[in-house]
Structure formats: C-alpha cells, structure tokens
Amino acid sequence: MPEESNLHAQWHQLSVEDVFTQLNSSPAGLSAAEVAKRQKEAGPNRVSSVRGTPAWLKLLRQFHQPLVYIMLIAVGVTASLGEWVDAAVIAAIVLANAIVGFLQETKAETAIDALAKMVVTETTVRRGDNKQRVPSESLVAGDVVLLQSGDRVPTDLRLIEVRSLHADESTLTGESLPAAKQRDVLPSDTDLADRTNLAFAGTFITSGQAEGVVCLIGDQTETGRIAGLIASAVELSTPLTKKIARFSQLVLWIILGLAALTFAVGVARGEKPAGMFMAAVALAVGAIPEGLPAAVTIVLAIGVSRMAKRQAIIRKLPAVETLGSTTIICTDKTGTLTENQMTVQEVFAGSRLFTITGSGYEPQGEIKLDANIVKLEQQPALAECLRAGLLCNDSQLLLKDGRHAVQGDPTEAALIVAAEKAGLKQKATHEESPRVDMIPFESAHMFRATLNEDDDERVIYQVGALERLLDRCKDALSDDGLSTIAIDKVAVMQRADAMATHGLRVLAMTRRQVDKAHDKLDHSHVATDLTFLGLQGMIDPPRAAAVAAIANFVKAGIAVKMITGDHLITARAIAAQIGLKADTAISGSDLKKISDEDLPETAERTTVFARVAPEQKLRLVKALQSRGHVVAMTGDGVNDAPALKQADIGVAMGHSGTDVAKGAAAMILTDDNFASIEAAVEEGRGVYDNITKFIVWIIPTNLGESLILLSAILFGLPLPLVPLQLLWINLTDTVLGLSLAFEPKEGDVMSRPPRPTKQPMMPLALVVRSGLVSSIMVACGLGLFLWELRMEKASLAEARTVAVNVLVMIQVLYLLNCRSLSHSAFSIGFFTNRWIIFGSVTMIAAQMLFTYAPLFNTLFHSAPISSAAWLRITASAMLVFLTVEFEKWLRFRRE
C-alpha cells in the first residue's frame, strides 16, 4: 500500500511560523528571482502523465490469445491445402475480432491527464508583497496564495489566514458537506478529511476568504499521490478472459493430441504418411471452434448495446461479462447511494417535531405533523424557524437545464429548499425583510447571524451549532409564534441527540428583536438574550432506487459494502436506511491498525467503512480480491479513482463523476443511478449465459466431426468426410451458432447466486452432456455412412453427403437444446429469438445447395441423396434433440 510521505504528513502539525521557516518564505511572499530559482529546481506544478501504450501494440495484443492462435493455425492449415478462399475467410474472422476489440478498448487511459487538467488554472499570489495573477503551473513551494469564494485550489496549501472559509472536498475525501477551514495546529495523526488547516489541489472554495502558503506541488500533492495510486493499480484480467484463456489452451492441446493420434494410428496401420497427414489436418480443421472468438466478441458487443439502453456505457468489452460474475459491490456513499444534495428532513419548532418529504434540491414536498399535512399559516412557530433559515443565508437555488442546483453552500441550500416547500419564497422574503448587516460564519464561532428589517423593528437571526447557541438563549418561541415561553434546554438537547442518531446534521435557529436604530451587528449583540426558534435536521438522503437495488442484489447473492469518506454516524444512518447491516461498521482510523494479513477477513465481514482515505479504498479492494471475490467498485470522486481501476470492474457516475473517475472506470452510468448497476449485472449474467450456450453447442459438434474421422481410421474405414467438407460445415455453422448471441436473458438470471470464480466454462454436467452428444453424432454419422455404402450400395460421394447432412441436421436441432442449458426448449418460446429461425433456415438452404447443386457437387465432392436417406438423417437429429431434453428433465427434476 502506498504510504503517505513524511513531507506530505507534516504540514498540518506545524505552526504557521514553523511552516514559513521550513519553506524559507514569509507572508510577503517570494521574490521573482527566488520563484524563478525554485521553478528551475522543482519544475512546474502539474501532475506527471504516463505515456500510454502505442496503438500498434494495442492492436497486436488482440492476437495474443490461445484461441486466436488456434484460428491462425486454421488459416495456415487451409492455406497449405491450397484453399485460399477458406483461409481468407478464417483470416477475416480473426482480423474482424481483433479490430472490434481494439476499437472498444483503444480509448487511452485518461485518468492521469484528467488529474493534470484539474489543477491547471490561474490563481492570485503575493510575490514581493505585491498581488498578481499567475498560472497555477508556475507556483512553487513557499508562494503565498490568496483564495476566495468560487476559486479552485491550485495546489496543496497550509492556511495562514482564514476568514469564514469553506471548501468542497467531496471529490477528494467523500465528505458531502463543505469543510470549515481554520489555521490552528492539528495533531500529527489527524485523518486527511479532518486536516482543516490545509487546502487541497483541485477542491473548490464555496465561501469565505483565506491565504495559504504552498507546501507541496505537482506529484507531491494529495491529487498527485492519487495519480500515483492510479498508475500503480494493476490492470486485471477479467473472469471471462481468464476462463476463455484456460479453455482455449485445453482445446488447443486436445486438438493437437487428436491430430497426432490420427496420424500415428494411420501410419501404424500401413497408410501413407502423406495421406495420414491430410487426415490429421482434416481432423484439426474439424475440431477448431473458429466461430468462438467471433461469438464471444459479438455476444459482448450485444451486451454493450443492451447496457447502453439501460444507462450503462461500457469502455472495455470484457467488463460486460465481469458484472455478471460480481460477488461484491463496493460503493461510495456520496452521490452514488445518496443524492449528494443536502435535504432538511426534520424541523423541531414550538415544541413539535415536523417532518418534510421530498429529497434533493427540488422544492417539492410536504410538511407533516404526526403524518398529517400542515399549512404554514397554521404553524407560526414553524414559519419563523424556516424564515430564519431563509434570511440568514447567502446561497441561491437556481434552475439549470430543468434541474435545480445550488450556488453556494449545500447546507444553506437545504434551508432554502425546506422553506420553499412550506411556501416561503426566498426572493420575496428577502424583499420583505432586507438585510442591514451580518456576521459571517467562522469555524471558531460555528454560527452566522444577520440583521434584518421587520416592519417597525429590526431582528437578528442566527443559525449555527446548537452547542454554541443554546446557552445564549433566555427563552423560546411559543406555538402561537407571538409570545415566548421558558426554554427547556434539556428537552432541546435530547431532541437534537435523537435527530443526530438518525444521521441528521442539526442546526439551531435563534432570533433577537432590537429597535429600529440598531444598524450594526457584532458578536456582543448575539452573546445573550436570544429566543430559541427551533432545530432543522438535514442529511444527504439515499436514492430511493438504491434501496430496491440493494434488496435485489441480496437476492442475487451479491454483497454490497459502503466505503465512504463521510463520518461513521452518518454512514451508519444511511446504511440502515438502504438496507445494509449498520452494526458492522469500521472507521478509517481503525482500519489503519489492521494488518495486511488480518484485513481480508475483516473486509469480508464488515459492511460499512467510514472516514476512509483513497489508499485505504484501494487496500480494501485488494483485500477482497485476495479472498477470491470478483469486486465491482462504484464512485464519482477523485478519491475513488485508484480503487475503480484496481477493481475487477470500476463503475463511475456519468453526470456527477469527475473526469478522473470516468477515466479509471470500465463502465460509466449515464444516469448516476446505483440501480442501473442491477440492470448491468442482469445483462452481464445474460452475456455469460449466451457465451456458455455457444461453447456447449460448438464443442460437441466440432468434436463429433473429428471423432468420426478418428474412428474411421481406427477401424480402417474410408474417410466419411474430406477436409473441404469439414471446412464447409465449419464455415456455415458459424452463421448458425452466432444466432445464440441474440438469445434473450432467461427469467431466473437474478435469482441465482454468483458463479464460483473457479468454475470452468463447462461444468462437469455440461461436459457429460457434450460427450453424450458427440457420441451420438459419431454413432449416427458413421453408422449412416456405412449404411449407405453397404446397405444402399451408394457411391462414396453419396455416403459422404449423408454423413455431412447428419452432422449439420444434428447441429440445427441441438442448437434448439442449447437455447437454455437447464429449461426445456419448449418452455422458452420458439419465436423469442428470430435469429435462430434465420440461421436454421439458412443452414438447411445451404445444405440443399451442397447436396443438389452441380457446382457444389463438383467443388465439395458431394452428390444428391434419396428421400429415404433424409428420413434417416432427420431421425438421427431428433434422437439427439430428445436425448438432451430428457437429460435436462432428469437432472433438474432431481435438483
């Protein structure tokens, strides 16, 4: 696990004076000469980029697969036979497969480039005691940077002067609320998200002003460290590519073994070596599943198309199937499981607790008291509490592209939305009670206050932390909104604690009425004699669709784990609301104490991880993978990117996700909806099913072709098939088999547990079925070949034509068996896959040409056959079909 450098760790624990001493700088800033010197020594303030893989090498890598090696052998074999057309067709299949894979995966890794773009901006600095605007790339350690609301922090800073500064660090730390900043020294073991005296590169200032001294630049910044984590994350092969590779190697050795056996047996029986070499070549050609790479690519491409319609964009083809193999989903909280929009859910006013429906920044919802909808004019205490939150507020709610968005602080936006749901309009309320003066929020005081006009008097409204305001209150507003009553501070604290246990952030509202002559506001005016108005409790609410999706994942045997940078109490509250086990939770500080040896077991049994740093997310993903899990990681922030890349499949949010997260992910959700992952998993399982169906179909049919030749040689019989006829079968049956790529998902795909990662492409039951089908093919093909020669006195060409048609018709009917590996072919609907009909009709039509067209008779050494022969051929195919259906019934009846 990449460790934090000593340079990076020290700045928050040093005083401002010590920082300037270490950096050899001062509040006046550096001189121009010193800046130039340091720029030459340290280089520009930007994150280093890593050179990508050349396009030509990416293309060549598409051929670096055992199955493709088999295909290239097939090209060489057919070319050696002088069959240039067939060789060209197989070569075209290989090339098309490589091009599709190259085009799908050729998007260069953009994560580190996006990180560099994040920090390229202009900033205000003080150099030589003069303010100036400079590119952020020109910053050096020791520069003094001036920040204000709306700025993007250009590099990592140690804050030296702070005035009500808040920074949005959600993409870096996962904290949904803007972080209040200060300049005081912090303990050395303070977690990243709690280092409030630092400002980090790439984060945004939401309010206030500050000055900071540059302590780290470029790759040394927190953003730069994350770039290093992304670069160090290993590109994993997917479950599909691993299984296809193992399967292809097995097929390769079986084919070579059978070909060698054919050659050896034939020579041992006295046959000419040249003839036996051609027979071995014919066997190899028959056994090679040349349609498999194309089928895998097409099935995956169809999966990509289907997922795109369900809001999931795939950047890497094998990622489609990986979703279907997923055993654990590690998800970020902020913006993924939640709306990333603070929402007031409870208001305590006039000794009553009100609930507010709706979520996010859309001002749509209802105010309820004991489940009954209330009107604001009937609840004057509630109205005054909401009014305080609206007036003591500098943020704005804007309508952009049909959606409401906040300009300013998310907490203040939540107060605005709550008031508007009750019918109070921000603009009208401010016009009725214009602001005279204000005290801005400062972390040292934990409140803000405004002085507003109100008819014949002026009113001070105050919003802030309850522990700072409660002791200043002398009374509380009564239910009627006109008189005051004695305040029960114990009851107020109990109510606040109850709200906090639900994960709500609680703010107190107070007021003080003053005379008209009062035109200035300072801290002495809000120190005593306040009237308590109420509490507003808010939270970043969970997405409604996420709750249902998690329940469905549980049914599908997939574990969901929340990994967030937010506080443990908040994380537990959200986990409980969305159906996760909130009692199994651990914080980042505790996670640091767990050894690498013990972490996998802890990671597997724990559901919620809070206050987690970027490298800890990466560490958790690796720990789960070490236990054999296929891990999907979702996220939208810069802090998620290393884990997104390390995971078996990284899932980024398309709308709220950073470019960094999108660049590191294999899949992007265009609607930012966690529930879309469920749809993607369903499609992924369907993809794997269809690939398995194709393999279960092609292996026994190709093996049957080869075993017919081997059997004939073993028994000293004429060859039932010649190489050209085998090529004909293999090239035409590819069209037939590819129709399985379009097979719809079966209805029970999401009620099965995830496939074991060590389960082979063909489990034992399917291997047995394949052996059964191959045996019947050999018996029927060789049996009817001999029947035609000996009983019907047919020519060798006619007998071989019968053998070819036996194999093809068995392939056609066995294809119907393979539409479902567990359910009856009669139960899935004949017309649910029209490509099956098209492929079957095309195959039969091709066989008619092969059998009766003179040109084809000449090219492929075939001959017309009788109707009686067709009856025997059809009976053989029906025997295979009914045998497989009976085997399915027996096996799944027992299960």
Side-chain angles (χ1 to χ4, degrees):
M1 182 183 74
E3 294 293 339
E4 191 173 48
S5 68
N6 291 331
L7 274 175
H8 197 279
Q10 71 179 355
W11 301 107
H12 64 280
Q13 59 182 314
L14 297 179
S15 67
V16 172
E17 293 75 17
D18 289 341
V19 170
F20 276 123
T21 300
Q22 288 236 11
L23 295 172
N24 195 19
S25 182
S26 71
L30 301 171
S31 67
E34 184 64 23
V35 168
K37 176 186 174 184
R38 296 188 184 191
Q39 285 174 342
K40 186 175 181 180
E41 293 173 350
N45 172 40
R46 63 167 175 253
V47 177
S48 301
S49 59
V50 177
R51 186 177 178 182
T53 305
W56 63 268
L57 184 56
K58 288 182 183 178
L59 181 60
L60 283 181
R61 284 179 178 175
Q62 304 300 318
F63 297 93
H64 185 49
Q65 304 173 42
L67 200 60
V68 176
Y69 297 157
I70 297 175
M71 296 282 284
L72 293 175
I73 291 172
V75 173
V77 168
T78 50
S80 69
L81 292 173
E83 301 299 329
W84 301 109
V85 173
D86 297 328
V89 169
I90 300 175
I93 293 173
V94 174
L95 185 60
N97 179 65
I99 289 174
V100 170
F102 171 77
L103 292 177
Q104 192 69 28
E105 297 181 13
T106 194
K107 294 181 180 179
E109 289 295 335
T110 58
I112 293 179
D113 288 341
L115 279 162
K117 291 175 184 176
M118 281 189 67
V119 295
V120 175
T121 182
E122 282 198 342
T123 191
T124 302
V125 298
R126 184 186 296 117
R127 288 176 176 171
D129 215 15
N130 293 316
K131 291 182 182 180
Q132 52 186 289
R133 293 284 289 176
V134 299
S136 67
E137 284 193 1
S138 71
L139 293 176
V140 296
D143 261 328
V144 175
V145 175
L146 282 64
L147 299 173
Q148 62 181 4
S149 180
D151 285 350
R152 178 182 289 179
V153 180
T155 190
D156 285 6
L157 308 174
R158 171 62 165 92
L159 298 175
I160 57 177
E161 293 292 339
V162 175
R163 291 177 291 280
S164 306
L165 190 74
H166 285 73
D168 180 357
E169 298 177 345
S170 60
T171 60
L172 186 66
T173 66
E175 172 63 71
S176 54
L177 292 172
K181 296 294 183 176
Q182 52 85 34
R183 68 187 295 273
D184 298 335
V185 176
L186 294 171
S188 60
D189 60 351
T190 304
D191 289 338
L192 176 72
D194 296 323
R195 294 177 188 175
T196 53
N197 58 8
L198 300 181
F200 298 105
T203 61
F204 287 91
I205 304 303
T206 59
S207 62
Q209 298 176 329
E211 293 183 11
V213 59
V214 175
C215 51
L216 298 168
I217 65 170
D219 292 335
Q220 294 178 325
T221 64
E222 185 65 24
T223 303
R225 288 199 322 115
I226 292 175
L229 292 174
I230 296 173
S232 66
V234 179
E235 288 280 3
L236 299 178
S237 55
T238 70
L240 177 66
T241 56
K242 291 175 185 174
K243 289 180 180 179
I244 289 290
R246 289 196 296 266
F247 180 75
S248 300
Q249 289 172 349
L250 177 63
V251 170
L252 177 61
W253 287 111
I254 290 175
I255 290 172
L256 293 177
L258 288 175
L261 180 62
T262 300
F263 181 80
V265 170
V267 172
R269 292 180 61 88
E271 301 290 344
K272 293 180 179 181
M276 285 301 94
F277 176 76
M278 294 307 296
V281 166
L283 184 145
V285 168
I288 290 172
E290 71 282 340
L292 182 54
V296 170
T297 301
I298 290 173
V299 172
L300 292 174
I302 292 170
V304 168
S305 176
R306 288 175 176 172
M307 287 185 182
K309 293 176 182 177
R310 302 182 75 172
Q311 315 305 321
I313 304 299
I314 299 296
R315 294 181 65 244
K316 299 177 182 179
L317 262 185
V320 179
E321 183 276 335
T322 307
L323 273 167
S325 309
T326 300
T327 58
I328 289 180
I329 296 177
C330 296
T331 175
D332 184 34
K333 178 186 73 68
T334 305
T336 306
L337 293 174
T338 64
E339 301 279 2
N340 200 17
Q341 297 181 349
M342 294 299 291
T343 304
V344 174
Q345 292 187 337
E346 294 183 0
V347 179
F348 178 68
S351 301
R352 296 176 179 177
L353 182 65
F354 300 87
T355 57
I356 304 181
T357 63
S359 63
Y361 295 148
E362 298 300 322
Q364 299 173 356
E366 298 169 332
I367 314 293
K368 293 185 176 182
L369 178 63
D370 298 329
N372 297 314
I373 298 174
V374 300
K375 294 184 178 180
L376 196 63
E377 55 269 21
Q378 298 171 349
Q379 302 292 336
L382 171 65
E384 188 65 3
C385 182
L386 294 174
R387 194 164 179 266
L390 199 57
L391 289 172
C392 196
N393 199 311
D394 277 337
S395 297
Q396 287 185 305
L397 199 63
L398 306 175
L399 190 64
K400 292 182 179 180
D401 302 323
R403 298 178 62 179
H404 284 85
V406 61
Q407 181 175 303
D409 186 271
T411 300
E412 294 184 355
L415 299 175
I416 295 171
V417 173
E420 294 217 353
K421 287 177 181 177
L424 294 175
K425 300 300 180 183
Q426 184 181 24
K427 184 178 179 181
T429 303
H430 277 271
E431 288 175 351
E432 292 169 3
S433 302
R435 182 180 298 176
V436 178
D437 198 9
M438 72 171 291
I439 298 174
F441 179 91
E442 292 183 16
S443 56
H445 303 295
M446 299 300 291
F447 67 81
R448 66 180 297 151
T450 61
L451 176 64
N452 296 82
E453 296 276 4
D454 190 13
D455 296 330
D456 296 330
E457 62 180 359
R458 287 179 174 173
V459 180
I460 299 172
Y461 288 105
Q462 196 173 12
V463 176
L466 178 62
E467 58 270 22
R468 296 298 179 93
L469 302 186
L470 188 58
D471 289 339
R472 306 181 185 200
C473 295
K474 64 173 183 177
D475 52 28
L477 190 66
S478 65
D479 292 347
D480 60 17
L482 299 175
S483 58
T484 59
I485 58 174
I487 182 170
D488 186 345
K489 294 183 180 181
V490 174
V492 171
M493 286 301 301
Q494 289 175 343
R495 176 55 62 188
D497 290 343
M499 295 168 86
T501 57
H502 297 153
L504 299 180
R505 183 193 182 203
V506 181
L507 293 179
M509 315 286 150
T510 67
R511 79 177 186 190
R512 180 183 177 188
Q513 294 170 317
V514 295
D515 59 47
K516 194 75 171 178
H518 207 103
D519 58 1
K520 292 293 182 182
L521 189 60
D522 60 42
H523 285 277
S524 65
H525 300 138
V526 293
T528 58
D529 296 332
L530 301 180
T531 296
F532 177 75
L533 301 179
L535 306 172
Q536 293 195 43
M538 63 186 68
I539 197 171
D540 180 13
R543 295 174 182 265
V547 180
I550 288 174
N552 290 333
F553 281 134
V554 172
K555 292 178 184 176
I558 300 172
V560 178
K561 298 181 183 295
M562 179 196 294
I563 304 178
T564 177
D566 217 334
H567 291 280
L568 187 60
I569 293 176
T570 305
R572 275 181 167 154
I574 292 294
Q577 292 179 39
I578 61 178
L580 295 179
K581 292 182 179 178
D583 54 331
T584 56
I586 191 171
S587 68
S589 57
D590 292 331
L591 205 58
K592 287 180 181 178
K593 303 172 186 176
I594 301 174
S595 67
D596 290 340
E597 292 74 23
D598 295 334
L599 184 61
E601 191 274 332
T602 302
E604 194 167 38
R605 62 178 168 80
T606 305
T607 303
V608 178
F609 302 86
R611 302 306 272 176
V612 174
E615 61 268 25
Q616 290 179 320
K617 292 186 178 187
L618 186 62
R619 191 177 171 223
L620 283 169
V621 171
K622 289 180 178 179
L624 290 168
Q625 288 171 334
S626 72
R627 301 278 284 195
H629 288 290
V630 178
V631 181
M633 172 74 190
T634 77
D636 58 358
V638 175
N639 61 327
D640 299 319
L644 286 174
K645 188 175 179 184
Q646 173 65 36
D648 295 278
I649 178 164
V651 184
M653 303 296 116
H655 180 73
S656 62
T658 60
D659 287 344
V660 183
K662 294 175 189 176
M667 185 176 85
I668 299 170
L669 301 182
T670 58
D671 60 354
D672 285 18
N673 193 342
F674 181 79
S676 295
I677 302 174
E678 180 195 349
V681 169
E682 184 181 0
E683 294 293 346
R685 291 188 172 189
V687 162
Y688 188 88
D689 277 359
N690 287 354
I691 292 174
T692 303
K693 290 171 185 177
F694 182 85
I695 290 173
V696 170
W697 175 77
I698 201 170
I699 291 302
T701 55
N702 280 29
L703 185 62
E705 297 166 16
S706 300
L707 291 178
I708 284 178
L709 289 177
L710 181 59
S711 299
I713 293 170
L714 285 173
F715 293 113
L717 301 172
L719 291 180
L721 305 164
V722 296
L724 277 177
Q725 292 171 341
L726 281 170
L727 280 172
W728 164 261
I729 295 172
N730 285 3
L731 292 174
T732 53
D733 69 11
T734 297
V735 177
L736 178 65
L738 288 179
S739 60
L740 286 171
F742 300 91
E743 193 64 30
K745 299 180 297 295
E746 295 186 40
D748 61 350
V749 289
M750 289 301 284
S751 60
R752 313 172 194 161
R755 295 184 309 278
T757 53
K758 294 183 180 180
Q759 178 179 300
M761 290 293 296
M762 289 181 65
L764 180 60
L766 295 180
V767 171
V768 172
R769 182 186 298 176
S770 297
L772 182 63
V773 172
S774 294
S775 300
I776 298 175
M777 285 185 73
V778 172
C780 292
L782 195 58
L784 288 187
F785 171 74
L786 294 175
W787 179 278
E788 294 297 320
L789 284 178
R790 298 175 182 177
M791 304 302 293
E792 302 295 331
K793 307 302 181 183
S795 67
L796 186 59
E798 290 173 329
R800 284 173 171 165
T801 303
V802 168
V804 169
N805 281 300
V806 167
L807 297 180
V808 170
M809 292 307 296
I810 287 176
Q811 285 181 326
V812 171
L813 290 191
Y814 181 53
L815 186 77
L816 301 181
N817 294 128
C818 291
R819 292 188 63 195
S820 175
L821 300 178
S822 55
H823 301 295
S824 168
F826 300 104
S827 68
I828 57 179
F830 187 67
F831 294 101
T832 54
N833 185 353
R834 298 184 184 276
W835 288 100
I836 292 284
I837 300 173
F838 171 78
S840 300
V841 170
T842 300
M843 192 74 168
I844 292 171
Q847 285 310 114
M848 293 300 104
L849 290 174
F850 174 86
T851 305
Y852 296 108
L855 176 62
F856 283 76
N857 294 156
T858 303
L859 289 174
F860 295 101
H861 311 293
S862 59
I865 59 177
S866 66
S867 57
W870 278 112
L871 287 175
R872 290 187 287 272
I873 290 168
T874 304
S876 299
M878 285 301 299
L879 175 62
V880 170
F881 176 79
L882 294 174
T883 299
V884 173
E885 288 300 301
F886 182 66
E887 181 265 342
K888 281 196 239 179
W889 179 77
L890 280 179
R891 182 154 58 94
F892 288 96
R893 182 192 64 168
R894 289 197 303 270
E895 295 179 0

